[in-house]
Amino acid sequence: MIIMVNLLTINTAIGQHKKFTNDMLNHPGKYGKKFERLFNLNELQVYDTAYTKGKVVLNNGYAHSRILNPEDWPAYRKNIVVTQIDVVYTKYPRNKEFWRTNYYSLLAKRVKALFALDSTLNSADFEWNIKYQTSCKTEEETKKMFHGICIHYFEINDFESEEDVTNIPESKEEDMPDLSLKVENYIRSQGGIGDSMVYSTFANHPEWKNALVVMDWTGSMYRYGAQAILWHTMNYKNSGIKNFVFFNDGDGIDDDKKIIGETGGVYFAQARHMDRLIKTFYLVGKKGKGGDDPENDIEALIRGMNRFEDFDELILIADNNSCIRDFRLIANLGVKVNIIACGTKYGLNPQYVNLAYLTGGSIHSMKEEINHLSQKVSDNELKLKQLKYELNKEQLFIIKDPPQRVRYSQCEQYSTLTPLKIDPHLEFIEKHGGVGDSTVYVVLDRHPAWTNTSIIMDWTKDMYTQSAQAVLWHKMHPRTSGINHFIFSNDGNRLADKKKKVGKTGGIYFTKSNNQKMINRRCNYVAKRGNNEDHNSTNTIETSLRAIQKYYKTDEFILIVNNETCVRDFSLIPYLDTPIKVILSNIQGPINPQYINIAYKSGGSLHTMDDDYYNYVFTGVASSTNELKINGTTYEINKEGFFDYKDFQLKKQNNCKLSIKT
């Protein structure tokens, strides 16, 4: 028999949890199946004991328990991380009831022999397997096969020297079944999956793409965080997870030495390098298990954001029953945080409610999913399925009922908040001359109830500072902004006018609203790709149709346009069957009737610095003999059913097409 260990050797000084009790090892017959259930059971023809770096084979011999070559396992060293132990039997006879040697007794003796060699291996922090070799039909064949202990490990120094992963090959989809099994075995070693909260949440949100996942990797949270890795391996081809961050609250340092923002114990791994990712979570567990109850959640989020700046979704897998020690650092985030709260039997910890509320993020628990918390607040109260919360003097949520508040009262000492001082400037706007016409900001401020919105922006040179006001407004209102996506259009990049075809002009770019740094970079990137300088028409409807197609779950589409620019692809307006809210900027004369018609025909509305014109106004005029008057200019319905200037001179001067005829 062979026992193979691919395990993280845990330093007892940092709180090792033993896998096997002395009573179980001394009385294996008493525990029987319970003893066996501490292992993962697998069958294979022949167990591979060939030498490779990071593997030690310890022989017992057939039906014996003494380790014959103990010198091959080096003395415990802090720089070794063991990752798995496999106990390998020859399955002959096929029925264990007919084995000459008592199965449970032999297993216990061999495990005890291993612990006599190295007591640190008695740990629940790694994977334990029993492997049955089946390629034996006689006792003579069985005796020739290996029986013993094989330990797999890696050197921390070797692992850390691979910090530059550019030359490490990416994991392949065909490798995922074996890797998934490895993660499943690890979860079983931590007591089983328990509730599938984390796995189910990722399964329910396939739209989470380009995601950065930050995980509490302290003792009680191992099996929850590992579910995210398991989901990633099981859905590798379509997984939106790009990077992982693990935090263990300080690498085992003394609690009184943990400094806010500098606690440490934060580790990083790319989701495309699965072997390294799995080694990372073993390493993090070896380095520390958390110590006291509060954790350094916000520090881990900030460090993760700084390490992996290119992300669209920031997801925190958190221990709902632990406090956030560095809660005051929330002001440094500036990113929506989607929180998967684990252990919510008695309701959500107010600190995590506040983290989602203050960042405009979401909370996901076994009982419910909550998005846009600010919209659910009424009379300074928030009612969730399990508990009611109220805003205190600091405008932070606390549990309303005092007796229920006791459960999370220990977290109140950490729930002080450095005031959210948001820089009221946007570098892109300043670089391009500052805010002149503030229509966009004013209109968005006037309509805080617009939620689940996608902002479609004319991103040509004359509109930079106007359209960018939507980005600035979103930045200034992290709690209440309902903006989920930004769509930039520079009208075809640098495509020559004669090559711009209706519906095929391009120059359209998309980004989620979650990461302000990503939005800022997108602003500059799209501007560099093209600016439509000295041109007076844009592919407005093509851009709108592309946005509607991509973000079909959006409730509100908002189009920011230049009143002095024509809609080149106006002929596409019959395809615009989703309401568009048009924000008109740069109004220097009468309102361009093309934009009135986009609002009218789509079932949307029109918004200027001072006024809002809703669709019932347009439809009411169109269905009667009345005329539409806006800012002193009169409009009438033409033969094709579009609003046009009534004044002949304005019609004559208008170069913007109001027909769908070719």
Side-chain angles (χ1 to χ4, degrees):
M1 173 189 125
I2 299 175
I3 301 180
M4 176 168 181
V5 186
N6 203 356
L7 166 144
L8 176 69
T9 307
I10 304 296
N11 189 338
T12 55
I14 57 175
Q16 171 181 309
H17 176 64
K18 288 186 176 182
K19 180 77 171 180
F20 306 97
T21 65
N22 290 334
D23 190 45
M24 181 175 287
L25 293 175
N26 291 329
H27 305 93
K30 172 183 173 182
Y31 292 93
K33 289 291 184 182
K34 184 177 180 181
F35 180 33
E36 186 181 50
R37 280 198 294 270
L38 294 178
F39 300 84
N40 304 306
L41 308 180
N42 305 103
E43 291 189 5
L44 72 170
Q45 287 193 328
V46 179
Y47 195 86
D48 182 10
T49 58
Y51 171 79
T52 58
K53 183 179 180 181
K55 180 169 78 172
V56 172
V57 176
L58 303 174
N59 292 306
N60 292 125
Y62 177 64
H64 294 288
S65 59
R66 184 170 66 89
I67 295 174
L68 302 177
N69 56 326
E71 67 280 357
D72 287 352
W73 177 242
Y76 172 74
R77 301 199 307 268
K78 287 185 178 181
N79 65 331
I80 286 180
V81 177
V82 187
T83 56
Q84 175 186 322
I85 295 184
D86 294 336
V87 180
V88 182
Y89 281 89
T90 46
K91 197 170 185 180
Y92 179 83
R94 302 290 289 179
N95 190 331
K96 293 196 294 288
E97 299 296 326
F98 299 114
W99 286 13
R100 183 177 302 173
T101 306
N102 183 278
Y103 166 61
Y104 298 119
S105 176
L106 181 60
L107 175 60
K109 287 178 180 179
R110 287 177 171 172
V111 172
K112 287 170 69 175
L114 176 64
F115 296 160
L117 178 64
D118 187 342
S119 62
T120 66
L121 296 178
N122 187 2
S123 172
D125 291 331
F126 42 79
E127 177 186 343
W128 288 81
N129 303 311
I130 292 177
K131 303 283 189 178
Y132 296 111
Q133 298 178 104
T134 59
S135 182
C136 47
K137 297 180 180 179
T138 67
E139 186 169 3
E140 289 303 313
E141 290 179 348
T142 300
K143 289 180 178 180
K144 294 177 182 179
M145 301 183 77
F146 285 103
H147 303 82
I149 301 172
C150 183
I151 305 176
H152 283 232
Y153 62 92
F154 65 87
E155 297 273 355
I156 294 177
N157 292 339
D158 291 345
F159 180 79
E160 292 178 342
S161 68
E162 295 178 349
E163 190 69 22
D164 180 7
V165 297
T166 53
N167 295 321
I168 300 177
E170 294 185 18
S171 301
K172 298 179 180 178
E173 192 171 0
E174 55 263 33
D175 300 328
M176 290 306 118
D178 288 341
L179 292 167
S180 296
L181 178 60
K182 197 170 188 64
V183 179
E184 286 178 326
N185 286 342
Y186 176 79
I187 292 173
R188 280 194 285 268
S189 75
Q190 300 305 312
I193 202 165
D195 67 67
S196 58
M197 173 65 219
V198 175
Y199 193 99
S200 298
T201 301
F202 279 100
N204 292 335
H205 291 278
E207 76 279 7
W208 283 352
K209 300 295 184 183
N210 192 25
L212 172 60
V213 179
V214 180
M215 300 189 287
D216 179 341
W217 203 260
T218 55
S220 62
M221 287 294 292
Y222 292 157
R223 63 182 180 178
Y224 288 107
Q227 288 180 41
I229 300 171
L230 179 61
W231 185 88
H232 177 65
T233 61
M234 298 286 284
N235 301 272
Y236 188 70
K237 185 176 181 180
N238 298 312
S239 172
I241 300 175
K242 189 173 182 180
N243 296 296
F244 287 93
V245 177
F246 303 81
F247 64 97
N248 64 19
D249 193 44
D251 281 345
I253 64 172
D254 294 338
D255 295 337
D256 59 359
K257 294 181 180 179
K258 293 177 180 178
I259 301 172
I260 298 296
E262 300 178 18
T263 298
V266 182
Y267 296 82
F268 314 96
Q270 295 182 12
R272 59 196 176 99
H273 296 134
M274 283 302 306
D275 183 65
R276 185 176 177 83
L277 170 61
I278 291 172
K279 286 181 179 178
T280 299
F281 72 62
Y282 279 118
L283 176 64
V284 179
K286 177 183 176 70
K287 291 283 190 176
K289 301 192 182 307
D292 58 350
D293 172 69
E295 313 288 2
N296 58 331
D297 299 61
I298 310 302
E299 177 188 346
L301 289 169
I302 293 170
R303 288 180 183 268
M305 290 161 50
N306 290 337
R307 177 63 176 268
F308 302 116
E309 292 186 349
D310 179 13
F311 65 88
D312 290 317
E313 302 285 354
L314 181 60
I315 300 162
L316 172 65
I317 300 175
D319 184 354
N320 185 69
N321 296 305
S322 289
C323 303
I324 303 175
R325 183 192 304 105
D326 49 9
F327 184 84
R328 71 181 71 170
L329 298 179
I330 287 178
N332 297 292
L333 286 175
V335 175
K336 291 182 180 180
V337 183
N338 300 310
I339 303 159
I340 302 177
C342 305
T344 59
K345 182 178 180 180
Y346 300 104
L348 286 163
N349 184 329
Q351 284 194 308
Y352 293 107
V353 174
N354 283 304
L355 177 57
Y357 172 63
L358 293 169
T359 65
S362 59
I363 303 182
H364 308 263
S365 71
M366 287 297 291
K367 298 287 186 180
E368 59 189 324
E369 292 196 354
I370 311 111
N371 296 283
H372 305 297
L373 268 74
S374 63
Q375 297 166 23
K376 295 175 171 56
V377 179
S378 177
D379 296 326
N380 288 330
E381 291 188 6
L382 174 67
K383 183 178 180 180
L384 302 182
K385 283 189 176 180
Q386 292 173 276
L387 295 171
K388 291 181 180 179
Y389 304 80
E390 62 182 3
L391 288 169
N392 63 13
K393 293 180 180 179
E394 287 190 83
Q395 291 299 293
L396 294 174
F397 284 110
I398 59 173
I399 296 173
K400 186 175 182 180
D401 183 42
Q404 292 178 318
R405 193 181 303 164
V406 172
R407 176 169 295 277
Y408 300 109
S409 60
Q410 74 276 15
C411 298
E412 292 178 3
Q413 62 182 304
Y414 306 107
S415 296
T416 57
L417 190 64
T418 301
L420 292 169
K421 295 180 180 179
I422 304 173
D423 181 6
H425 301 91
L426 195 69
E427 183 181 348
F428 185 86
I429 292 177
E430 302 300 318
K431 184 170 68 174
H432 291 278
V435 175
D437 180 349
S438 60
T439 298
V440 174
Y441 200 99
V442 169
V443 172
L444 291 174
D445 229 21
R446 197 162 68 224
H447 295 281
W450 285 351
T451 58
N452 189 20
T453 62
S454 292
I455 306 288
I456 305 165
M457 301 181 291
D458 179 343
W459 209 256
T460 56
K461 190 168 185 179
D462 289 341
M463 283 294 290
Y464 285 162
T465 60
Q466 287 93 329
S467 290
Q469 289 173 43
V471 177
L472 177 61
W473 188 89
H474 175 69
K475 173 188 173 184
M476 296 299 296
H477 299 81
R479 283 185 293 182
T480 57
S481 173
I483 299 173
N484 289 339
H485 312 99
F486 290 102
I487 300 93
F488 303 76
S489 175
N490 65 18
D491 192 46
N493 296 323
R494 293 187 176 87
L495 197 65
D497 284 352
K498 62 182 180 181
K499 293 184 178 180
K500 293 178 179 178
K501 297 181 180 180
V502 171
K504 298 180 180 180
T505 298
I508 303 168
Y509 299 85
F510 308 88
T511 189
K512 289 186 176 181
S513 67
N514 297 347
N515 184 346
Q516 189 63 46
K517 288 183 179 179
M518 281 283 289
I519 300 169
N520 293 343
R521 286 204 295 271
R522 183 64 77 181
C523 291
N524 289 292
Y525 176 77
V526 179
K528 288 180 180 178
R529 295 286 293 171
N531 58 28
N532 198 29
E533 190 173 12
D534 300 326
H535 302 282
N536 61 358
S537 64
T538 58
N539 58 333
T540 305
I541 297 183
E542 175 191 347
T543 305
S544 300
L545 292 172
R546 288 278 305 279
I548 292 167
Q549 182 182 34
K550 185 174 180 67
Y551 300 125
Y552 58 90
K553 292 184 178 180
T554 291
D555 292 328
E556 315 273 5
F557 286 97
I558 300 170
L559 174 64
I560 300 172
V561 292
N562 183 351
N563 186 66
E564 304 305 312
T565 298
C566 294
V567 179
R568 185 190 312 108
D569 51 7
F570 188 80
S571 60
L572 297 177
I573 200 168
Y575 301 100
L576 205 57
D577 57 1
T578 298
I580 302 290
K581 292 176 167 57
V582 181
I583 299 180
L584 266 181
S585 187
N586 197 22
I587 300 175
Q588 299 176 15
I591 289 178
N592 184 336
Q594 283 188 317
Y595 298 115
I596 296 175
N597 285 297
I598 288 176
Y600 162 48
K601 290 293 186 178
S602 71
S605 53
L606 185 72
H607 306 270
T608 66
M609 173 74 81
D610 301 311
D611 297 298
D612 301 309
Y613 301 91
Y614 295 99
N615 201 258
Y616 68 85
V617 175
F618 306 132
T619 55
V621 171
S623 62
S624 69
T625 57
N626 296 327
E627 298 169 340
L628 177 67
K629 289 188 178 181
I630 301 178
N631 295 345
T633 302
T634 303
Y635 302 83
E636 62 181 3
I637 296 292
N638 67 13
K639 293 180 180 179
E640 290 190 48
F642 296 113
F643 282 102
D644 196 356
Y645 296 118
K646 183 176 182 180
D647 184 83
F648 177 77
Q649 288 298 322
L650 289 176
K651 283 185 180 181
K652 186 177 180 180
Q653 295 167 8
N654 184 21
N655 295 318
C656 298
K657 179 180 178 181
L658 284 172
S659 173
I660 60 174
K661 295 179 180 178
T662 56

